[in-house]
Amino acid sequence: MIDKKRANEKFVILTAYDCLTAQLLEKSGVEYILVGDSLGNMFAGYDNTLPVTVEQMIYHGKAVCAGTEEALVIMDMPYMSYQVSNEDAILNAGRLIKEAGGKAVKIEVNPNQIDRVKAVVDSGIEVIGHIGLTPQTVYQLGGYGLQGKDQEVSDKLSQLALALEKAGCFSVLFEKIPSALAAKLTSELTIPTLGIGAGVDCDGQILVTQDVLGATEGKPLKFVKQYASVFDASKKALEYFIEDVKTSQFPGEAHSF
Ligand code: KIV
């Protein structure tokens, strides 16, 4: 990533929770894959990411790693896998590398957790620090709104981003912060920045794959651009299949022995 920032070359990270999606991403040219704890919402159907466990992350991480050859797989550290102590954080980050096969971890960080991040980095594990809207602290933040609108929070986010670079993170991810703040921080930091709902000036862009593909029902979030309508196309295909079975069009001669 750092070489891309130095060369002024934008890059993409997308999420995967399974082997087939990982293969699809890699075949499409995606170089970085996040096994996001968004699998809590997108795969398991939970209301938020809080119930996701290290075991679930390892299960999905293994599946994603099985589908990749070249892509760098980054593992999200789920809620309560790093909040309690440095020891917990190192142990759980280590499990995501050792058991799932990821090459780096992503941690949602608040200003009190810089030492936690540093402890994981110092143990020899690559870390992305995730700031701005941090879904694991949804109750403390009071929802999923834009972060850093007012000067006080904006200043805190700036200090946090710089502290994460100093702590040894190889990248900082900004979720749902004003584009101008993300642009300012991207020019101040020497490490690459990743944006989701953080404007065009971040070094790289990250989205949930199902959102990009239109694989979910309903209206997309403001920061998502859909490039396909996989949900609608799949629904139509399944309706045709049901109709074919009901009218004895399937299986035909070609599908029979
Ligand atoms: O869990 C996730 O998918 C994320 C995002 C930044 C996309 O953290």
Side-chain angles (χ1 to χ4, degrees):
M1 272 184 203
I2 188 75
D3 47 328
K4 295 199 190 299
K5 179 169 178 120
R6 287 186 185 137
N8 222 359
E9 192 190 319
K10 301 265 188 184
F11 57 91
V12 164
I13 300 201
L14 285 167
T15 55
Y17 318 124
D18 63 87
C19 176
L20 281 182
T21 306
Q23 285 172 344
L24 173 66
L25 294 182
E26 203 172 72
K27 291 218 157 76
S28 310
V30 174
E31 293 168 283
Y32 307 98
I33 297 178
L34 174 72
V35 185
D37 64 350
S38 54
L39 66 85
N41 314 66
M42 307 302 295
F43 179 86
Y46 304 147
D47 287 341
N48 53 48
T49 57
L50 303 187
V52 176
T53 63
V54 173
E55 269 62 35
Q56 284 172 316
M57 292 304 301
I58 290 172
Y59 175 82
H60 287 277
K62 273 185 184 167
V64 168
C65 290
T68 52
E69 281 169 21
E70 302 284 330
L72 183 90
V73 176
I74 298 145
M75 301 291 305
D76 236 345
M77 293 204 65
Y79 182 57
M80 281 300 142
S81 66
Y82 60 92
Q83 280 87 347
V84 177
S85 67
N86 287 359
E87 287 74 16
D88 259 13
I90 296 168
L91 207 73
N92 286 318
R95 288 192 68 195
L96 295 173
I97 305 296
K98 187 172 173 154
E99 296 177 45
K103 298 215 168 59
V105 298
K106 174 169 83 58
I107 303 179
E108 294 185 16
V109 197
N110 69 43
N112 303 322
Q113 290 165 324
I114 300 295
D115 283 349
R116 190 66 32 91
V117 170
K118 191 169 174 347
V120 177
V121 173
D122 288 348
S123 78
I125 295 173
E126 297 279 8
V127 179
I128 297 180
H130 176 161
I131 67 172
L133 171 62
T134 44
Q136 290 176 18
T137 46
V138 57
Y139 298 133
Q140 205 170 33
L141 295 175
Y144 294 100
L146 183 69
Q147 301 297 308
K149 283 182 289 208
D150 57 87
Q151 199 56 48
E152 198 190 329
V153 180
S154 169
D155 290 347
K156 278 193 182 142
L157 288 173
S158 299
Q159 285 162 15
L160 188 51
L162 295 168
L164 286 172
E165 170 163 295
K166 212 164 152 221
C169 285
F170 76 99
S171 171
V172 181
L173 185 154
F174 305 134
E175 178 162 354
K176 223 170 169 187
I177 68 169
S179 307
L181 175 59
K184 175 183 100 68
L185 290 172
T186 298
S187 69
E188 285 174 7
L189 292 169
T190 59
I191 54 173
T193 62
L194 297 167
I196 174 163
V200 73
D201 290 311
C202 296
D203 297 308
Q205 294 293 328
I206 177 163
L207 283 175
V208 168
T209 298
Q210 282 84 349
D211 288 341
V212 175
L213 296 180
T216 55
E217 214 180 358
K219 199 170 167 276
L221 298 165
K222 179 175 162 63
F223 58 75
V224 169
K225 183 170 173 186
Q226 281 186 352
Y227 289 81
S229 300
V230 165
F231 187 92
D232 292 341
S234 304
K235 184 167 169 277
K236 208 161 273 166
L238 294 171
E239 285 165 357
Y240 284 137
F241 176 60
I242 293 167
E243 184 60 21
D244 271 5
V245 170
K246 287 192 171 170
T247 56
S248 300
Q249 303 295 305
F250 179 86
E253 279 295 312
H255 313 107
S256 304
F257 301 95

